[in-house]
Amino acid sequence: MTDSKPQLYEQASQYQHWRFTRASLENLRAANNKRGIDRVLCGVREEARVDDDQSTLETRIAEATNNLLTPNEELQLVDYYLQMIKVYAQIYRKNGLLKAEALDAVKATAINFMKRFYLHNVVFDYPPKSIMLTCFYLATKVENAFMKIDDFVRPLQAAETKRSSKVQTKGEDILGLEFVVIQSLQFELAAHHPYRASYGLYLDMQSYISDPVLLKEAFDRTHHYIDLSLFTDLVFLFQPSQIAMGAFKLAAREKDLDIDPYLTQRFEARSLELLYTVLDDIQDTIGAFKNTSQKEAQVIDRKLILCRNPEKNPNSKLFKKKVADQGDVPYVSDSDSD
């Protein structure tokens, strides 16, 4: 008797090392948040010793404590910047820096990287704007859509100048965080997305669905639901092919196309029963997704400014002292959600 060979995706690092349950994700984020808060309070105390001012210590501890972010607020702030990846992808596309055929892959990989990063890090240490840009730039390399760092930051700087931002993005801000991000990704840079799987489903359904025009409309609409799925935790819970099927069912329902006959012909009854449970979960998750507004992000970001970990904040006296004492520490850009 020989063991059956695992499916190709089951051999991928994404399947082997980046799969969780909803409960384990919640526990992981809560634990990270608690450790992050401990580091913030420890850093505030250490910074007060630099000033040798007890009154400053009490004020800063009260200020930080009153503004500490919950795990959900961290998620909301990260979600806002995940949405910005989609915006920036279109900017680079319009500027001719990102080809149309690479758009989905770069966008989805950047989102994947950022979501993975914040499974092992917190916004107290690494505010999400700079991490978002670093994940985006890294994704252009991974997905063979590389651009020079000067070309990458030029549209960002133009937008910042246009809105009179006090913060100007520099290439070294992004490059300085690359190793931090890659290390947090456990040096696993392969990312798998539902787009290709949805196209495979579309091709397969052509032999079972009698209305090719309606099928094509449903397939085109599936892209929208896959885009939404990227911002949820589905990537940590299900396989890309399952997410693609869930998105296809949402699109088919919207277009009044019944694809259940296709499923009943392609899967045996027991497998189909299990599949429907998975697909229902995927559809419910996509349907329930609500993005963080800019106003909500700004409120959270203002709190973050007051509870940053001083040890990781380049503007803090503690950070500057450690730079002077040690000569070099990893650079972390300022928080900015304007």
Side-chain angles (χ1 to χ4, degrees):
M1 180 177 180
T2 59
D3 294 333
S4 60
K5 186 176 180 180
Q7 296 294 317
L8 185 62
Y9 177 69
E10 293 176 357
Q11 301 176 54
S13 60
Q14 182 168 304
Y15 179 86
Q16 294 179 353
H17 303 146
W18 299 97
R19 279 191 310 147
F20 304 87
T21 64
R22 293 187 189 277
S24 63
L25 282 173
E26 184 177 354
N27 291 337
L28 179 59
R29 286 165 175 156
N32 286 341
N33 178 265
K34 184 179 183 303
R35 286 192 293 267
I37 288 173
D38 291 342
R39 287 195 298 274
V40 168
L41 297 179
C42 181
V44 168
R45 293 187 182 94
E46 189 174 354
E47 185 171 44
R49 286 195 292 271
V50 173
D51 285 337
D52 194 22
D53 187 343
Q54 188 63 29
S55 62
T56 299
L57 172 61
E58 294 174 357
T59 300
R60 281 290 292 118
I61 287 181
E63 192 175 58
T65 301
N66 292 334
N67 289 280
L68 291 170
L69 304 186
T70 66
N72 188 57
E73 286 175 321
E74 283 199 78
L75 273 178
Q76 285 182 287
L77 189 58
V78 169
D79 171 71
Y80 173 77
Y81 284 102
L82 290 174
Q83 296 287 330
M84 293 304 296
I85 288 175
K86 189 174 181 179
V87 174
Y88 283 128
Q90 290 298 333
I91 291 174
Y92 289 115
R93 172 73 185 95
K94 289 178 182 178
N95 286 333
L97 295 170
L98 194 59
K99 295 181 179 178
E101 57 268 25
L103 190 65
D104 285 338
V106 170
K107 172 186 65 183
T109 296
I111 291 170
N112 185 303
F113 285 172
M114 190 169 175
K115 290 182 73 68
R116 291 185 192 182
F117 180 87
Y118 282 107
L119 288 183
H120 297 289
N121 298 278
V122 290
V123 300
F124 303 118
D125 295 335
Y126 298 103
K129 181 180 179 180
S130 294
I131 296 300
M132 178 268 291
L133 294 174
T134 302
C135 287
F136 196 118
Y137 188 62
L138 184 60
T140 65
K141 298 180 182 180
V142 171
E143 298 298 342
N144 297 314
F146 173 73
M147 61 186 82
K148 294 179 180 179
I149 189 63
D150 289 342
D151 293 333
F152 184 78
V153 300
R154 192 172 295 116
L156 307 177
Q157 293 171 338
E160 289 161 349
T161 299
K162 185 176 181 180
R163 65 175 187 263
S164 301
S165 173
K166 296 179 181 179
V167 177
Q168 280 282 310
T169 302
K170 301 179 180 65
E172 54 264 32
D173 296 347
I174 296 166
L175 297 177
L177 282 169
E178 266 197 327
F179 183 75
V180 174
V181 169
I182 293 173
Q183 189 176 40
S184 295
L185 298 178
Q186 300 174 13
F187 301 93
E188 296 173 344
L189 303 181
H192 304 268
H193 314 299
Y195 297 109
R196 184 176 296 178
S198 71
Y199 183 64
L201 287 169
Y202 168 63
L203 295 178
D204 195 38
M205 287 181 187
Q206 291 178 16
S207 301
Y208 298 87
I209 304 296
S210 59
D211 189 335
V213 175
L214 197 57
L215 177 60
K216 179 63 165 58
E217 290 178 359
F219 168 64
D220 290 341
R221 185 58 176 166
T222 298
H223 191 283
H224 164 72
Y225 290 110
I226 290 177
D227 277 352
L228 290 181
S229 77
L230 300 176
F231 303 108
T232 71
D233 281 335
L234 290 175
V235 67
F236 298 130
L237 303 171
F238 301 108
Q239 298 186 25
S241 58
Q242 295 170 326
I243 299 171
M245 178 60 77
F248 217 121
K249 277 186 68 69
L250 284 170
R253 183 190 306 162
E254 184 178 319
K255 298 295 181 179
D256 292 324
L257 175 65
D258 184 9
I259 63 172
D260 284 337
Y262 162 76
L263 294 174
T264 57
Q265 293 180 70
R266 293 294 280 133
F267 298 93
E268 60 181 25
R270 177 57 181 161
S271 296
L272 189 58
E273 181 181 353
L274 297 173
L275 179 61
Y276 274 135
T277 301
V278 169
L279 296 182
D280 287 345
D281 194 348
I282 291 171
Q283 291 174 89
D284 289 345
T285 301
I286 294 175
F289 172 73
K290 179 180 179 297
N291 64 293
T292 304
S293 69
Q294 183 181 43
K295 184 177 180 180
E296 290 171 321
Q298 288 175 331
V299 170
I300 298 170
D301 203 38
R302 281 193 288 269
K303 292 178 65 176
L304 177 60
I305 291 171
L306 298 174
C307 64
R308 284 281 305 272
N309 179 1
E311 190 173 10
K312 298 282 188 177
N313 185 353
N315 290 330
S316 75
K317 293 179 180 179
L318 178 60
F319 185 94
K320 292 173 181 177
K321 181 179 184 300
K322 291 201 170 187
V323 169
D325 291 345
Q326 300 175 9
D328 184 35
V329 295
Y331 178 75
V332 184
S333 185
D334 294 332
S335 175
D336 173 30
S337 63
D338 60 356

